[in-house]
Amino acid sequence: MQDQWLDEEAGPIVPAYALTRGRVRPSSQEIDLVAIVTATGGPTPVSLGPEQWMILSLCARAASLADIAAAIDLPLGVVRVLVGDLHEQGLVQVRPPANVARFPTPGILTEVISGLRAL
C-alpha cells in the first residue's frame, strides 16, 4: 500500500490537498478565481513550504489566482488556500480585478441616440 505514494523517478508523491492539511477554503476570505495577487515584499518567514515560495516569487508582479495555479501546476482550490494563508500572514495582497468597462450612463445613451437620429 505504501508504494502507491512513491514514483521511482520523482520520489514521494504528496496528494495536493495534503499541502493544505485537507482544507478546501481559505480561512480569511473568499478569493475569486480572477483575484489579483501581489507580494507585499515584507519579511518572509523561513517556515513557508516550497509551493508558497513559488507563489511569492510569481507574485512579485501582480498575477491572477488562475495564472498562479497554472504556473505551479496545482489545483485552483489548493492555490486558493495557500494564497489565503499568505494573505493572513501579510505576505500578499489580494484584490478584485479592475473593472474593464463601465456601463454608459443614460445621458450618454440619449446623446448617442440623438446623434444617430441627426445623421
Side-chain angles (χ1 to χ4, degrees), residues 1 5 8-9 12 23-24 30-31 33 39 41 46 59 61 68-69 71 73 76 90-91:
M1 190 65 135
W5 300 115
E8 290 181 17
E9 291 180 24
R23 295 174 297 142
V24 294
E30 188 60 34
I31 300 173
L33 174 70
V46 179
C59 294
R61 302 183 84 178
I68 296 167
D73 197 27
L76 187 60
L91 299 173

Side-chain angles (χ1 to χ4, degrees), residues 39-59:
T40 60
T44 309
V46 179
S47 62
L48 295 179
E51 295 78 16
Q52 289 173 313
W53 282 105
M54 285 189 277
I55 291 170
L56 284 176
S57 69
L58 287 169
C59 294

Side-chain angles (χ1 to χ4, degrees), residues 1-15:
M1 190 65 135
Q2 194 169 359
D3 290 339
Q4 76 181 19
W5 300 115
L6 185 67
D7 180 299
E8 290 181 17
E9 291 180 24
I13 299 173
V14 177

Side-chain angles (χ1 to χ4, degrees), residues 36-118:
I36 304 300
V37 183
T38 310
T40 60
T44 309
V46 179
S47 62
L48 295 179
E51 295 78 16
Q52 289 173 313
W53 282 105
M54 285 189 277
I55 291 170
L56 284 176
S57 69
L58 287 169
C59 294
R61 302 183 84 178
S64 74
L65 191 72
D67 289 338
I68 296 167
I72 64 175
D73 197 27
L74 283 176
L76 187 60
V78 171
V79 173
R80 215 177 239 156
V81 173
L82 294 174
V83 166
D85 292 346
L86 292 170
H87 183 260
E88 272 187 7
Q89 296 175 48
L91 299 173
V92 296
Q93 292 178 333
V94 179
R95 65 175 173 77
N99 291 336
V100 176
R102 297 185 319 202
F103 290 111
T105 64
I108 291 176
L109 292 175
T110 303
E111 288 180 36
V112 170
I113 290 171
S114 297
L116 290 173
R117 284 185 182 149

